[in-house]
Short mmCIF file of all heavy atoms in Angstrom, two decimals:
data_model
loop_
_atom_site.label_atom_id
_atom_site.label_comp_id
_atom_site.label_asym_id
_atom_site.label_seq_id
_atom_site.Cartn_x
_atom_site.Cartn_y
_atom_site.Cartn_z
N ASN B 1236 -47.87 -27.99 -67.84
CA ASN B 1236 -47.79 -29.44 -67.57
C ASN B 1236 -46.38 -29.96 -67.87
O ASN B 1236 -46.17 -31.17 -68.03
CB ASN B 1236 -48.82 -30.20 -68.28
CG ASN B 1236 -48.88 -30.01 -69.79
OD1 ASN B 1236 -48.28 -28.94 -70.32
ND2 ASN B 1236 -49.38 -30.93 -70.66
N VAL B 1237 -45.36 -29.08 -67.98
CA VAL B 1237 -44.01 -29.54 -68.08
C VAL B 1237 -43.36 -29.17 -66.80
O VAL B 1237 -43.52 -28.10 -66.24
CB VAL B 1237 -43.38 -28.93 -69.39
CG1 VAL B 1237 -42.78 -27.53 -69.08
CG2 VAL B 1237 -42.15 -29.86 -69.78
N VAL B 1238 -42.46 -30.13 -66.32
CA VAL B 1238 -41.70 -29.92 -65.06
C VAL B 1238 -40.16 -30.31 -65.38
O VAL B 1238 -39.94 -31.34 -65.95
CB VAL B 1238 -42.16 -30.80 -63.91
CG1 VAL B 1238 -41.32 -30.56 -62.61
CG2 VAL B 1238 -43.67 -30.45 -63.62
N CYS B 1239 -39.35 -29.25 -65.18
CA CYS B 1239 -37.96 -29.48 -65.42
C CYS B 1239 -37.22 -29.68 -64.06
O CYS B 1239 -37.48 -28.97 -63.14
CB CYS B 1239 -37.34 -28.31 -66.15
SG CYS B 1239 -35.55 -28.51 -66.49
N ILE B 1240 -36.44 -30.70 -63.98
CA ILE B 1240 -35.61 -30.95 -62.73
C ILE B 1240 -34.17 -30.74 -63.07
O ILE B 1240 -33.60 -31.38 -64.00
CB ILE B 1240 -35.80 -32.35 -62.24
CG1 ILE B 1240 -37.36 -32.62 -62.12
CG2 ILE B 1240 -35.13 -32.70 -60.99
CD1 ILE B 1240 -37.80 -33.97 -62.71
N VAL B 1241 -33.54 -29.82 -62.45
CA VAL B 1241 -32.05 -29.65 -62.54
C VAL B 1241 -31.43 -30.37 -61.40
O VAL B 1241 -31.57 -29.93 -60.26
CB VAL B 1241 -31.73 -28.14 -62.61
CG1 VAL B 1241 -30.16 -28.00 -62.78
CG2 VAL B 1241 -32.46 -27.41 -63.72
N ASP B 1242 -30.60 -31.40 -61.75
CA ASP B 1242 -29.89 -32.11 -60.75
C ASP B 1242 -28.57 -31.29 -60.48
O ASP B 1242 -27.51 -31.38 -61.13
CB ASP B 1242 -29.60 -33.53 -61.34
CG ASP B 1242 -28.69 -34.30 -60.27
OD1 ASP B 1242 -28.49 -33.88 -59.21
OD2 ASP B 1242 -28.44 -35.55 -60.62
N TYR B 1243 -28.64 -30.43 -59.51
CA TYR B 1243 -27.59 -29.43 -59.19
C TYR B 1243 -26.56 -30.11 -58.26
O TYR B 1243 -26.50 -29.82 -57.05
CB TYR B 1243 -28.14 -28.19 -58.60
CG TYR B 1243 -27.32 -26.99 -58.70
CD1 TYR B 1243 -27.79 -25.74 -58.31
CD2 TYR B 1243 -26.04 -27.01 -59.23
CE1 TYR B 1243 -27.07 -24.59 -58.44
CE2 TYR B 1243 -25.19 -25.88 -59.29
CZ TYR B 1243 -25.71 -24.61 -58.94
OH TYR B 1243 -25.01 -23.50 -59.00
N ASN B 1244 -25.70 -31.01 -58.91
CA ASN B 1244 -24.75 -31.74 -58.11
C ASN B 1244 -23.36 -31.03 -58.20
O ASN B 1244 -22.36 -31.53 -57.64
CB ASN B 1244 -24.68 -33.20 -58.46
CG ASN B 1244 -24.34 -33.38 -60.00
OD1 ASN B 1244 -23.57 -32.50 -60.60
ND2 ASN B 1244 -24.74 -34.43 -60.55
N ARG B 1245 -23.23 -29.95 -58.84
CA ARG B 1245 -22.00 -29.10 -58.89
C ARG B 1245 -20.84 -29.64 -59.61
O ARG B 1245 -19.76 -29.11 -59.56
CB ARG B 1245 -21.67 -28.70 -57.50
CG ARG B 1245 -22.72 -27.79 -56.88
CD ARG B 1245 -22.57 -27.42 -55.42
NE ARG B 1245 -23.84 -26.85 -54.98
CZ ARG B 1245 -24.19 -25.50 -55.21
NH1 ARG B 1245 -23.29 -24.65 -55.69
NH2 ARG B 1245 -25.35 -25.07 -54.79
N ILE B 1246 -20.98 -30.75 -60.21
CA ILE B 1246 -19.79 -31.36 -60.87
C ILE B 1246 -20.24 -31.80 -62.33
O ILE B 1246 -21.37 -32.24 -62.53
CB ILE B 1246 -19.32 -32.61 -60.14
CG1 ILE B 1246 -18.71 -32.21 -58.73
CG2 ILE B 1246 -18.29 -33.24 -60.97
CD1 ILE B 1246 -18.28 -33.34 -57.86
N GLN B 1247 -19.38 -31.50 -63.29
CA GLN B 1247 -19.58 -32.01 -64.65
C GLN B 1247 -18.45 -32.98 -65.07
O GLN B 1247 -17.81 -33.60 -64.17
CB GLN B 1247 -19.93 -30.86 -65.61
CG GLN B 1247 -18.90 -29.77 -65.69
CD GLN B 1247 -19.43 -28.58 -66.46
OE1 GLN B 1247 -19.66 -27.51 -65.91
NE2 GLN B 1247 -19.57 -28.80 -67.80
N LEU B 1248 -18.17 -33.07 -66.35
CA LEU B 1248 -17.17 -34.11 -66.78
C LEU B 1248 -15.72 -33.65 -66.24
O LEU B 1248 -15.04 -34.39 -65.69
CB LEU B 1248 -17.30 -34.41 -68.29
CG LEU B 1248 -16.47 -35.58 -68.70
CD1 LEU B 1248 -17.33 -36.24 -69.94
CD2 LEU B 1248 -15.08 -35.29 -69.21
N ASP B 1249 -15.36 -32.53 -66.77
CA ASP B 1249 -14.04 -32.02 -66.53
C ASP B 1249 -13.74 -31.56 -65.12
O ASP B 1249 -12.58 -31.19 -64.86
CB ASP B 1249 -13.66 -30.94 -67.52
CG ASP B 1249 -13.04 -31.41 -68.87
OD1 ASP B 1249 -12.59 -32.58 -68.87
OD2 ASP B 1249 -13.05 -30.71 -69.86
N GLY B 1250 -14.75 -31.35 -64.35
CA GLY B 1250 -14.47 -30.92 -63.00
C GLY B 1250 -15.77 -30.17 -62.44
O GLY B 1250 -16.86 -30.46 -62.78
N PHE B 1251 -15.44 -29.21 -61.47
CA PHE B 1251 -16.55 -28.58 -60.88
C PHE B 1251 -17.17 -27.54 -61.78
O PHE B 1251 -16.48 -26.83 -62.54
CB PHE B 1251 -16.13 -27.92 -59.53
CG PHE B 1251 -15.83 -28.87 -58.49
CD1 PHE B 1251 -14.59 -29.39 -58.33
CD2 PHE B 1251 -16.80 -29.30 -57.64
CE1 PHE B 1251 -14.26 -30.40 -57.35
CE2 PHE B 1251 -16.52 -30.29 -56.55
CZ PHE B 1251 -15.27 -30.85 -56.48
N VAL B 1252 -18.51 -27.45 -61.69
CA VAL B 1252 -19.28 -26.55 -62.67
C VAL B 1252 -18.82 -25.11 -62.55
O VAL B 1252 -18.57 -24.52 -63.57
CB VAL B 1252 -20.77 -26.65 -62.46
CG1 VAL B 1252 -21.57 -25.63 -63.23
CG2 VAL B 1252 -21.28 -28.04 -62.68
N LYS B 1253 -18.53 -24.61 -61.40
CA LYS B 1253 -18.03 -23.27 -61.22
C LYS B 1253 -16.76 -22.99 -61.93
O LYS B 1253 -16.45 -21.89 -62.27
CB LYS B 1253 -18.06 -22.88 -59.74
CG LYS B 1253 -16.92 -23.59 -58.93
CD LYS B 1253 -16.78 -23.10 -57.53
CE LYS B 1253 -15.85 -23.80 -56.61
NZ LYS B 1253 -14.63 -24.31 -57.19
N ASP B 1254 -15.88 -24.05 -62.10
CA ASP B 1254 -14.62 -23.80 -62.76
C ASP B 1254 -14.72 -24.07 -64.33
O ASP B 1254 -13.84 -23.65 -65.02
CB ASP B 1254 -13.61 -24.84 -62.23
CG ASP B 1254 -13.40 -24.66 -60.73
OD1 ASP B 1254 -13.48 -23.49 -60.26
OD2 ASP B 1254 -13.26 -25.64 -59.99
N ILE B 1255 -15.74 -24.77 -64.76
CA ILE B 1255 -15.82 -25.09 -66.18
C ILE B 1255 -16.66 -23.94 -66.91
O ILE B 1255 -16.27 -23.42 -67.92
CB ILE B 1255 -16.49 -26.52 -66.49
CG1 ILE B 1255 -15.73 -27.58 -65.69
CG2 ILE B 1255 -16.58 -26.80 -67.93
CD1 ILE B 1255 -14.33 -27.73 -66.09
N MET B 1256 -17.83 -23.63 -66.23
CA MET B 1256 -18.74 -22.64 -66.89
C MET B 1256 -19.86 -22.44 -65.75
O MET B 1256 -20.86 -23.13 -65.79
CB MET B 1256 -19.32 -23.15 -68.18
CG MET B 1256 -20.31 -22.19 -68.84
SD MET B 1256 -19.55 -20.57 -69.30
CE MET B 1256 -18.22 -21.12 -70.42
N ASP B 1257 -19.57 -21.47 -64.97
CA ASP B 1257 -20.48 -21.22 -63.82
C ASP B 1257 -21.87 -20.96 -64.33
O ASP B 1257 -22.00 -20.21 -65.39
CB ASP B 1257 -20.00 -20.07 -63.03
CG ASP B 1257 -20.53 -20.08 -61.61
OD1 ASP B 1257 -21.39 -21.01 -61.34
OD2 ASP B 1257 -20.17 -19.15 -60.82
N ILE B 1258 -22.88 -21.47 -63.67
CA ILE B 1258 -24.24 -21.28 -64.07
C ILE B 1258 -25.00 -20.34 -63.16
O ILE B 1258 -26.25 -20.08 -63.29
CB ILE B 1258 -25.03 -22.64 -64.20
CG1 ILE B 1258 -24.93 -23.39 -62.93
CG2 ILE B 1258 -24.40 -23.47 -65.29
CD1 ILE B 1258 -25.64 -24.71 -62.90
N GLU B 1259 -24.40 -19.88 -62.14
CA GLU B 1259 -25.11 -18.99 -61.19
C GLU B 1259 -25.22 -17.57 -61.78
O GLU B 1259 -24.43 -17.15 -62.62
CB GLU B 1259 -24.19 -18.86 -59.92
CG GLU B 1259 -24.36 -20.09 -59.04
CD GLU B 1259 -25.77 -20.30 -58.45
OE1 GLU B 1259 -26.49 -19.28 -58.34
OE2 GLU B 1259 -26.19 -21.43 -58.16
N PRO B 1260 -26.23 -16.81 -61.26
CA PRO B 1260 -27.26 -17.12 -60.36
C PRO B 1260 -28.38 -17.99 -60.99
O PRO B 1260 -29.02 -17.33 -61.80
CB PRO B 1260 -27.77 -15.80 -59.87
CG PRO B 1260 -27.47 -14.85 -60.95
CD PRO B 1260 -26.33 -15.41 -61.81
N LEU B 1261 -28.57 -19.15 -60.60
CA LEU B 1261 -29.45 -20.14 -61.30
C LEU B 1261 -30.87 -19.80 -61.14
O LEU B 1261 -31.63 -19.83 -62.06
CB LEU B 1261 -28.98 -21.56 -60.97
CG LEU B 1261 -29.60 -22.59 -61.87
CD1 LEU B 1261 -29.22 -22.45 -63.32
CD2 LEU B 1261 -29.27 -23.95 -61.40
N THR B 1262 -31.34 -19.67 -59.94
CA THR B 1262 -32.73 -19.42 -59.67
C THR B 1262 -33.22 -18.10 -60.43
O THR B 1262 -34.29 -18.09 -61.04
CB THR B 1262 -33.14 -19.39 -58.21
OG1 THR B 1262 -32.41 -18.40 -57.59
CG2 THR B 1262 -32.96 -20.71 -57.51
N ASP B 1263 -32.30 -17.12 -60.34
CA ASP B 1263 -32.63 -15.81 -61.04
C ASP B 1263 -32.83 -16.08 -62.57
O ASP B 1263 -33.72 -15.48 -63.13
CB ASP B 1263 -31.54 -14.82 -60.81
CG ASP B 1263 -31.47 -14.35 -59.39
OD1 ASP B 1263 -32.43 -14.63 -58.63
OD2 ASP B 1263 -30.52 -13.62 -59.01
N LYS B 1264 -31.98 -16.90 -63.05
CA LYS B 1264 -32.06 -17.18 -64.50
C LYS B 1264 -33.42 -17.78 -64.83
O LYS B 1264 -34.11 -17.32 -65.80
CB LYS B 1264 -31.03 -18.18 -64.98
CG LYS B 1264 -29.63 -17.49 -65.16
CD LYS B 1264 -28.77 -18.51 -65.91
CE LYS B 1264 -27.34 -17.90 -66.10
NZ LYS B 1264 -26.38 -17.96 -64.98
N TRP B 1265 -33.82 -18.75 -64.21
CA TRP B 1265 -35.13 -19.49 -64.52
C TRP B 1265 -36.28 -18.49 -64.26
O TRP B 1265 -37.22 -18.45 -65.05
CB TRP B 1265 -35.27 -20.77 -63.65
CG TRP B 1265 -34.38 -21.83 -64.21
CD1 TRP B 1265 -33.14 -22.15 -63.82
CD2 TRP B 1265 -34.64 -22.76 -65.27
NE1 TRP B 1265 -32.61 -23.16 -64.50
CE2 TRP B 1265 -33.54 -23.58 -65.48
CE3 TRP B 1265 -35.72 -22.90 -66.23
CZ2 TRP B 1265 -33.38 -24.59 -66.49
CZ3 TRP B 1265 -35.60 -23.88 -67.15
CH2 TRP B 1265 -34.50 -24.73 -67.24
N ARG B 1266 -36.18 -17.71 -63.18
CA ARG B 1266 -37.27 -16.73 -62.97
C ARG B 1266 -37.38 -15.77 -64.01
O ARG B 1266 -38.43 -15.40 -64.54
CB ARG B 1266 -37.00 -16.02 -61.58
CG ARG B 1266 -37.73 -16.85 -60.46
CD ARG B 1266 -37.78 -16.04 -59.14
NE ARG B 1266 -37.83 -17.00 -58.03
CZ ARG B 1266 -36.90 -17.40 -57.35
NH1 ARG B 1266 -35.65 -16.79 -57.46
NH2 ARG B 1266 -36.98 -18.39 -56.41
N ALA B 1267 -36.15 -15.24 -64.52
CA ALA B 1267 -36.19 -14.25 -65.60
C ALA B 1267 -36.76 -14.82 -66.87
O ALA B 1267 -37.29 -14.13 -67.68
CB ALA B 1267 -34.75 -13.78 -65.76
N PHE B 1268 -36.67 -16.18 -66.99
CA PHE B 1268 -37.25 -16.90 -68.20
C PHE B 1268 -38.64 -17.15 -68.02
O PHE B 1268 -39.33 -17.73 -68.83
CB PHE B 1268 -36.48 -18.07 -68.49
CG PHE B 1268 -35.21 -17.85 -69.40
CD1 PHE B 1268 -34.10 -17.32 -68.88
CD2 PHE B 1268 -35.26 -18.23 -70.75
CE1 PHE B 1268 -32.96 -17.10 -69.71
CE2 PHE B 1268 -34.15 -18.01 -71.53
CZ PHE B 1268 -33.05 -17.41 -70.99
N GLY B 1269 -39.25 -16.70 -66.84
CA GLY B 1269 -40.69 -16.85 -66.70
C GLY B 1269 -41.18 -18.13 -66.00
O GLY B 1269 -42.30 -18.52 -66.19
N TRP B 1270 -40.32 -18.79 -65.38
CA TRP B 1270 -40.58 -20.14 -64.68
C TRP B 1270 -40.90 -19.93 -63.21
O TRP B 1270 -40.36 -19.09 -62.54
CB TRP B 1270 -39.41 -21.08 -64.90
CG TRP B 1270 -39.30 -21.63 -66.31
CD1 TRP B 1270 -39.10 -20.95 -67.46
CD2 TRP B 1270 -39.33 -23.03 -66.65
NE1 TRP B 1270 -39.03 -21.76 -68.50
CE2 TRP B 1270 -39.18 -23.13 -68.05
CE3 TRP B 1270 -39.57 -24.22 -65.97
CZ2 TRP B 1270 -39.19 -24.29 -68.71
CZ3 TRP B 1270 -39.60 -25.47 -66.57
CH2 TRP B 1270 -39.42 -25.43 -68.00
N HIS B 1271 -41.79 -20.86 -62.74
CA HIS B 1271 -41.92 -21.00 -61.30
C HIS B 1271 -40.82 -21.87 -60.74
O HIS B 1271 -40.66 -22.95 -61.24
CB HIS B 1271 -43.36 -21.67 -61.00
CG HIS B 1271 -43.59 -21.90 -59.60
ND1 HIS B 1271 -43.71 -20.80 -58.71
CD2 HIS B 1271 -43.61 -23.08 -58.80
CE1 HIS B 1271 -43.89 -21.36 -57.46
NE2 HIS B 1271 -43.87 -22.67 -57.53
N VAL B 1272 -40.04 -21.31 -59.80
CA VAL B 1272 -38.81 -21.96 -59.43
C VAL B 1272 -38.96 -22.47 -57.94
O VAL B 1272 -39.49 -21.78 -57.13
CB VAL B 1272 -37.61 -20.90 -59.37
CG1 VAL B 1272 -36.44 -21.63 -58.86
CG2 VAL B 1272 -37.42 -20.35 -60.77
N ILE B 1273 -38.67 -23.83 -57.81
CA ILE B 1273 -38.79 -24.43 -56.49
C ILE B 1273 -37.31 -24.96 -56.09
O ILE B 1273 -36.75 -25.77 -56.91
CB ILE B 1273 -39.74 -25.65 -56.54
CG1 ILE B 1273 -41.12 -25.16 -57.06
CG2 ILE B 1273 -39.80 -26.28 -55.14
CD1 ILE B 1273 -41.98 -26.26 -57.38
N GLU B 1274 -36.65 -24.33 -55.13
CA GLU B 1274 -35.37 -24.77 -54.72
C GLU B 1274 -35.51 -25.75 -53.55
O GLU B 1274 -36.30 -25.56 -52.61
CB GLU B 1274 -34.57 -23.52 -54.24
CG GLU B 1274 -33.15 -23.66 -54.62
CD GLU B 1274 -32.37 -22.36 -54.31
OE1 GLU B 1274 -33.01 -21.33 -53.98
OE2 GLU B 1274 -31.10 -22.41 -54.37
N LEU B 1275 -34.71 -26.87 -53.67
CA LEU B 1275 -34.92 -27.87 -52.59
C LEU B 1275 -33.66 -28.80 -52.35
O LEU B 1275 -32.74 -28.69 -53.24
CB LEU B 1275 -36.14 -28.82 -52.95
CG LEU B 1275 -35.90 -29.78 -54.14
CD1 LEU B 1275 -36.66 -31.03 -53.98
CD2 LEU B 1275 -36.22 -29.00 -55.48
N ASP B 1276 -33.68 -29.50 -51.36
CA ASP B 1276 -32.66 -30.52 -51.13
C ASP B 1276 -33.14 -31.75 -51.89
O ASP B 1276 -34.13 -32.39 -51.46
CB ASP B 1276 -32.52 -30.84 -49.58
CG ASP B 1276 -31.62 -32.02 -49.32
OD1 ASP B 1276 -31.23 -32.75 -50.23
OD2 ASP B 1276 -31.30 -32.14 -48.08
N GLY B 1277 -32.41 -32.12 -52.93
CA GLY B 1277 -32.83 -33.21 -53.73
C GLY B 1277 -32.67 -34.66 -53.19
O GLY B 1277 -32.97 -35.56 -53.87
N HIS B 1278 -32.25 -34.74 -51.92
CA HIS B 1278 -32.13 -36.02 -51.29
C HIS B 1278 -33.13 -36.10 -50.12
O HIS B 1278 -33.26 -37.20 -49.53
CB HIS B 1278 -30.73 -36.29 -50.79
CG HIS B 1278 -29.67 -36.29 -51.87
ND1 HIS B 1278 -29.78 -37.13 -52.88
CD2 HIS B 1278 -28.52 -35.56 -52.05
CE1 HIS B 1278 -28.68 -36.92 -53.70
NE2 HIS B 1278 -27.98 -35.93 -53.19
N ASP B 1279 -33.86 -35.11 -49.89
CA ASP B 1279 -34.93 -35.08 -48.80
C ASP B 1279 -36.26 -35.46 -49.52
O ASP B 1279 -36.91 -34.69 -50.12
CB ASP B 1279 -34.99 -33.67 -48.22
CG ASP B 1279 -36.08 -33.53 -47.14
OD1 ASP B 1279 -37.01 -34.42 -47.07
OD2 ASP B 1279 -36.06 -32.64 -46.47
N LEU B 1280 -36.68 -36.73 -49.32
CA LEU B 1280 -37.81 -37.14 -49.95
C LEU B 1280 -39.08 -36.37 -49.72
O LEU B 1280 -39.98 -36.20 -50.55
CB LEU B 1280 -38.04 -38.73 -49.69
CG LEU B 1280 -37.19 -39.63 -50.50
CD1 LEU B 1280 -37.04 -41.06 -49.89
CD2 LEU B 1280 -37.72 -39.73 -51.94
N ASN B 1281 -39.26 -35.94 -48.40
CA ASN B 1281 -40.37 -35.10 -48.10
C ASN B 1281 -40.40 -33.81 -48.98
O ASN B 1281 -41.43 -33.41 -49.57
CB ASN B 1281 -40.42 -34.76 -46.62
CG ASN B 1281 -40.92 -35.85 -45.81
OD1 ASN B 1281 -41.97 -36.49 -46.04
ND2 ASN B 1281 -40.13 -36.20 -44.73
N ALA B 1282 -39.26 -33.19 -49.09
CA ALA B 1282 -39.07 -32.01 -49.85
C ALA B 1282 -39.35 -32.30 -51.37
O ALA B 1282 -39.95 -31.45 -52.11
CB ALA B 1282 -37.75 -31.40 -49.70
N VAL B 1283 -38.82 -33.43 -51.79
CA VAL B 1283 -38.97 -33.75 -53.25
C VAL B 1283 -40.43 -34.04 -53.56
O VAL B 1283 -41.02 -33.54 -54.53
CB VAL B 1283 -38.12 -35.02 -53.57
CG1 VAL B 1283 -38.41 -35.55 -55.02
CG2 VAL B 1283 -36.63 -34.68 -53.41
N ASN B 1284 -41.18 -34.82 -52.71
CA ASN B 1284 -42.53 -35.00 -52.96
C ASN B 1284 -43.34 -33.68 -52.92
O ASN B 1284 -44.17 -33.49 -53.87
CB ASN B 1284 -43.14 -35.86 -51.88
CG ASN B 1284 -42.70 -37.37 -51.94
OD1 ASN B 1284 -42.33 -37.83 -53.03
ND2 ASN B 1284 -42.80 -38.13 -50.95
N ALA B 1285 -43.00 -32.84 -52.03
CA ALA B 1285 -43.75 -31.60 -51.86
C ALA B 1285 -43.46 -30.69 -53.12
O ALA B 1285 -44.37 -29.96 -53.49
CB ALA B 1285 -43.32 -30.87 -50.58
N ALA B 1286 -42.26 -30.69 -53.62
CA ALA B 1286 -41.89 -29.95 -54.75
C ALA B 1286 -42.70 -30.33 -55.94
O ALA B 1286 -43.20 -29.52 -56.71
CB ALA B 1286 -40.36 -30.02 -55.10
N TYR B 1287 -42.80 -31.67 -56.18
CA TYR B 1287 -43.64 -32.14 -57.36
C TYR B 1287 -45.10 -31.73 -57.14
O TYR B 1287 -45.72 -31.35 -58.21
CB TYR B 1287 -43.55 -33.61 -57.48
CG TYR B 1287 -42.09 -34.07 -58.03
CD1 TYR B 1287 -41.42 -35.10 -57.44
CD2 TYR B 1287 -41.67 -33.54 -59.27
CE1 TYR B 1287 -40.17 -35.53 -57.97
CE2 TYR B 1287 -40.41 -33.89 -59.75
CZ TYR B 1287 -39.66 -34.94 -59.07
OH TYR B 1287 -38.49 -35.33 -59.67
N ASP B 1288 -45.58 -31.78 -55.91
CA ASP B 1288 -46.97 -31.37 -55.70
C ASP B 1288 -47.14 -29.86 -55.96
O ASP B 1288 -48.14 -29.46 -56.58
CB ASP B 1288 -47.38 -31.65 -54.23
CG ASP B 1288 -47.47 -33.16 -54.02
OD1 ASP B 1288 -47.52 -33.96 -55.03
OD2 ASP B 1288 -47.46 -33.64 -52.87
N GLU B 1289 -46.15 -29.15 -55.61
CA GLU B 1289 -46.23 -27.62 -55.85
C GLU B 1289 -46.18 -27.35 -57.38
O GLU B 1289 -46.89 -26.53 -57.88
CB GLU B 1289 -45.06 -26.94 -55.12
CG GLU B 1289 -45.10 -25.45 -55.30
CD GLU B 1289 -43.93 -24.67 -54.51
OE1 GLU B 1289 -43.51 -25.26 -53.46
OE2 GLU B 1289 -43.48 -23.72 -55.04
N ALA B 1290 -45.31 -28.09 -58.04
CA ALA B 1290 -45.19 -27.91 -59.54
C ALA B 1290 -46.62 -28.26 -60.14
O ALA B 1290 -47.08 -27.47 -61.01
CB ALA B 1290 -44.15 -28.80 -60.12
N ALA B 1291 -47.27 -29.37 -59.66
CA ALA B 1291 -48.45 -29.79 -60.22
C ALA B 1291 -49.55 -28.76 -60.04
O ALA B 1291 -50.45 -28.60 -60.84
CB ALA B 1291 -48.83 -31.17 -59.72
N ALA B 1292 -49.44 -28.07 -58.93
CA ALA B 1292 -50.57 -27.11 -58.47
C ALA B 1292 -50.29 -25.74 -59.18
O ALA B 1292 -51.16 -24.85 -59.13
CB ALA B 1292 -50.59 -26.99 -57.00
N THR B 1293 -49.12 -25.62 -59.80
CA THR B 1293 -48.79 -24.24 -60.31
C THR B 1293 -49.43 -24.12 -61.83
O THR B 1293 -49.00 -24.96 -62.63
CB THR B 1293 -47.30 -24.06 -60.41
OG1 THR B 1293 -46.85 -24.09 -59.06
CG2 THR B 1293 -46.90 -22.67 -61.03
N LYS B 1294 -50.20 -23.19 -61.99
CA LYS B 1294 -50.95 -23.05 -63.28
C LYS B 1294 -50.42 -21.84 -64.02
O LYS B 1294 -50.03 -20.83 -63.42
CB LYS B 1294 -52.44 -22.91 -63.09
CG LYS B 1294 -53.07 -24.13 -62.35
CD LYS B 1294 -52.86 -25.41 -63.21
CE LYS B 1294 -53.37 -26.66 -62.42
NZ LYS B 1294 -52.68 -27.92 -63.01
N GLY B 1295 -50.41 -21.89 -65.35
CA GLY B 1295 -50.05 -20.73 -66.19
C GLY B 1295 -48.66 -20.54 -66.59
O GLY B 1295 -48.29 -19.72 -67.36
N LYS B 1296 -47.75 -21.32 -65.90
CA LYS B 1296 -46.31 -21.26 -66.23
C LYS B 1296 -45.77 -22.64 -65.86
O LYS B 1296 -46.18 -23.35 -65.07
CB LYS B 1296 -45.64 -20.06 -65.44
CG LYS B 1296 -45.86 -20.10 -63.97
CD LYS B 1296 -44.82 -19.22 -63.22
CE LYS B 1296 -45.11 -17.78 -63.26
NZ LYS B 1296 -44.22 -17.01 -62.35
N PRO B 1297 -44.58 -22.84 -66.51
CA PRO B 1297 -43.87 -24.13 -66.24
C PRO B 1297 -43.11 -24.04 -64.90
O PRO B 1297 -42.80 -22.93 -64.43
CB PRO B 1297 -42.90 -24.20 -67.45
CG PRO B 1297 -42.68 -22.82 -67.80
CD PRO B 1297 -43.92 -22.14 -67.58
#
Side-chain angles (χ1 to χ4, degrees):
Chain B
N1236 56 339
V1237 81
V1238 178
C1239 181
I1240 305 135
V1241 178
D1242 183 358
Y1243 200 172
N1244 60 28
R1245 291 171 195 276
I1246 295 175
Q1247 52 189 113
L1248 190 146
D1249 267 343
F1251 289 90
V1252 173
K1253 67 174 171 41
D1254 300 324
I1255 305 299
M1256 180 60 58
D1257 199 1
I1258 55 177
E1259 284 294 335
L1261 191 57
T1262 53
D1263 290 350
K1264 280 195 181 73
W1265 287 94
R1266 271 194 202 100
F1268 273 76
W1270 284 60
H1271 177 66
V1272 179
I1273 306 165
E1274 213 175 350
L1275 70 150
D1276 172 350
H1278 299 304
D1279 175 346
L1280 279 161
N1281 282 309
V1283 173
N1284 287 340
Y1287 286 129
D1288 292 342
E1289 183 179 329
T1293 301
K1294 299 298 169 201
K1296 52 160 85 171

